[in-house]
Amino acid sequence: MSTNTIEANRRAGAFADHDELWLFGYGSLIYKAGFDYIERRPVRITGWARRFWQGSHDHRGTPGAPGRVVTLVAAPGETCTGMAYRVTPAVFDYLDHREKNGYLRAVQPMTFEDGHVEDGLAYIATADNAAWLGEASIDDIAEHIRTASGPSGPNRDYALHLADALRDMNVADTHCLAVADRLRALIAAE
Ligand code: SIN
């Protein structure tokens, strides 16, 4: 798969004929929407985990020195809490561009705090995309993030903003919080 997913996402077209849909944000979309939305609510999905396994060539790194950003990986039995945004399909142009470095739109059942379940859309980068970096130790991920930077700013800002947003939502994401804790220690030692 090419790193640029804009065309593939346009062709897929799920929800394009709906007036409104729910979008599941689990990374930068939690702390920085950047698009108009009707409402937003915490929501969880099951069978997925948030991991810093995706490379970023266009936001928090460059093609020559990619940053590390989160994607969702299959994790039977686990739940991943994020932020659901009720949006219109007008946001697709903006989102397809923002998430173009390997992320594909995927339909995903989401469970709201009141227990009701609805299908929504998540942008997920899978292991077959060209920007995939994959698993690494928490120490290696934190050190990678410490040094990377791209057009949207330092990779460390992404990781620390995400950890702060998850803490504000009372989400005990052990992977993301461990990366942020290690990263803070590395920064303190600079
Ligand atoms: C998301 O936030 O839902 C996708 C990953 C990212 O842009 O950080």
Side-chain angles (χ1 to χ4, degrees):
M1 192 204 303
S2 139
T3 44
N4 190 324
T5 52
I6 288 180
E7 278 312 317
N9 278 324
R10 278 195 190 132
R11 278 197 305 274
F15 293 105
D17 57 343
H18 287 220
D19 292 337
E20 290 175 3
L21 64 135
W22 285 103
L23 169 75
F24 180 71
Y26 56 90
S28 66
L29 291 176
I30 293 182
Y31 65 82
K32 182 184 170 219
F35 52 85
D36 291 333
Y37 58 88
I38 300 152
E39 62 171 315
R40 66 178 208 152
R41 293 193 215 165
V43 74
R44 66 179 191 278
I45 59 173
T46 53
W48 294 92
R50 186 173 12 235
R51 292 286 181 270
F52 275 95
W53 291 2
Q54 172 66 2
S56 175
H57 297 174
D58 56 346
H59 286 298
R60 302 295 177 165
T62 62
R68 264 192 186 261
V69 290
V70 291
T71 185
L72 294 175
V73 297
E78 287 196 38
T79 63
C80 176
T81 300
M83 192 62 82
Y85 294 87
R86 192 151 65 88
V87 296
T88 72
V91 301
F92 283 147
D93 276 352
Y94 169 80
L95 288 171
D96 287 351
H97 185 265
R98 172 166 163 177
E99 304 296 331
K100 68 183 181 307
N101 196 207
Y103 293 84
L104 290 171
R105 300 183 204 165
V107 178
Q108 186 59 48
M110 310 183 306
T111 307
F112 288 82
E113 284 181 323
D114 65 4
H116 92 274
V117 180
E118 249 182 86
D119 276 350
L121 210 61
Y123 281 80
I124 301 177
T126 52
D128 57 354
N129 86 88
W132 178 259
L133 293 175
E135 189 168 3
S137 69
I138 296 294
D139 283 2
D140 286 351
I141 290 173
E143 174 57 18
H144 185 152
I145 290 171
R146 184 183 73 80
T147 56
S149 192
S152 297
N155 202 175
R156 60 179 66 181
D157 291 356
Y158 173 102
L160 296 177
H161 285 148
L162 177 57
D164 288 347
L166 292 172
R167 280 203 179 97
D168 289 348
M169 292 170 69
N170 289 319
V171 177
D173 186 311
T174 49
H175 174 83
C176 290
L177 299 183
V179 168
D181 286 349
R182 181 68 191 137
L183 179 58
R184 280 196 193 90
L186 290 171
I187 292 169
E190 282 177 345

